């Protein structure tokens, strides 16, 4: 089941929270900053425990890395680095879909029954919200058709407008 919730993702009692991180897994602003603030300082060390795969890159764009969730109500944080929007010709749409698919695959491997996603890439990284919402909803729908877990995916909006956009896209996809 996919649902849309308006609010602060750090407060949600779900098994896994997805973080819109950066490739370095260094605490930044936006939802990433909120997650680090709420989880506590151990989270940064847990992120740094993931090895660099090239200088300055612990999680390439579209991939995911898991940490404990420390002080969050969740059990795990699945960090993903979304694409920076560069006009749409740099593979941004495919990479954003990869973030959702890879995070859901990781959640399934962990045994997570519920997962919450922020609107990855649509803040500081500049991805247009409506396009991102359509990709998010489609990627989640397709993934949920392939197995039992996760049972519940929560798409979290941080503004009324984003919630409205997500609900519109979800209705569109569910209507087929
Ligand atoms: N709960 C839910 N959603 C939130 C919250 C929150 N507490 N706070 C912000 N959002 P952004 P990006 C929404 O900028 O575009 C960081 O510096 C926000 O309104 O957090 O993927 C990272 O370290 C927007 O809809 O992520 C990276 O460097 C959405 O979360 C970079 O920003 C995503 O906005 C990633 O940029």
């Amino acid at each position: 089941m996919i649902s849309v919730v308006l609010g602060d993702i750090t407060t949600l009692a779900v098994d896994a929270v997805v973080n819109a991180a950066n490739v370095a897994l260094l605490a930044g602003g936006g939802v990433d900053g909120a997650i680090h603030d709420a989880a506590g300082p151990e989270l940064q060390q847990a992120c740094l425990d993931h090895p660099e795969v090239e200088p300055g890159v612990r999680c390439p764009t579209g991939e995911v890395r898991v940490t404990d969730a420390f002080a969050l109500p969740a059990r795990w944080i699945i960090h993903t680095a979304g694409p920076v929007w560069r006009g749409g010709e740099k593979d941004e749409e495919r990479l954003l879909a990869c973030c959702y698919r890879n995070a859901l695959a990781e959640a399934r491997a962990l045994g997570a029954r519920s997962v919450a996603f922020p609107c990855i890439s649509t803040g500081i990284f500049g991805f247009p919200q409506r396009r991102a919402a359509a990709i998010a909803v489609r990627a989640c729908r397709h993934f949920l058709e392939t197995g039992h877990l996760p049972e519940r995916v929560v798409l979290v909006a941080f503004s009324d407008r984003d919630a409205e956009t997500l609900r519109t896209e979800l209705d569109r996809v569910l209507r087929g």
Side-chain angles (χ1 to χ4, degrees):
M1 189 190 76
I2 305 173
S3 58
V4 175
V5 163
L6 174 63
D8 179 354
I9 200 169
T10 66
T11 66
L12 297 184
V14 287
D15 291 337
V17 163
V18 177
N19 182 20
N22 51 68
V23 296
L25 297 184
L26 291 172
V31 71
D32 184 26
I35 287 173
H36 275 270
D37 287 349
E42 294 148 296
L43 177 58
Q44 182 62 88
Q45 189 53 53
C47 287
L48 295 178
D49 288 345
H50 285 283
E52 289 188 338
V53 293
E54 56 183 277
V57 178
R58 291 188 179 81
C59 177
T61 303
E63 295 191 14
V64 299
R65 298 290 185 271
V66 180
T67 65
D68 194 278
F70 300 101
L72 289 191
R75 226 170 130 185
W76 300 286
I77 300 171
I78 301 173
H79 305 263
T80 187
V84 176
W85 180 258
R86 299 187 200 279
E89 304 293 318
K90 303 283 182 198
D91 222 13
E92 295 96 325
E93 297 202 330
R94 188 187 65 79
L95 289 166
L96 185 63
C98 282
C99 291
Y100 283 91
R101 265 200 313 274
N102 288 332
L104 288 164
E106 188 64 51
R108 180 173 288 169
L110 289 165
R113 296 172 67 176
S114 53
V115 185
F117 282 92
C119 301
I120 300 165
S121 283
T122 66
I124 292 162
F125 282 177
F127 206 109
Q129 169 65 15
R130 185 166 296 283
R131 275 194 194 210
I135 290 165
V137 167
R138 269 190 260 119
C140 292
R141 176 99 200 277
H142 285 147
F143 190 86
L144 293 187
E145 284 168 357
T146 66
H148 174 60
L149 288 176
E151 294 162 356
R152 191 159 69 90
V153 173
V154 184
L155 300 176
V156 182
F158 205 49
S159 69
D160 289 320
R161 196 172 164 187
D162 287 352
E164 183 56 39
T165 305
L166 281 170
R167 288 194 181 109
T168 304
E169 291 304 324
L170 184 56
D171 285 349
R172 199 194 303 279
V173 164
L174 295 182
R175 269 190 273 113

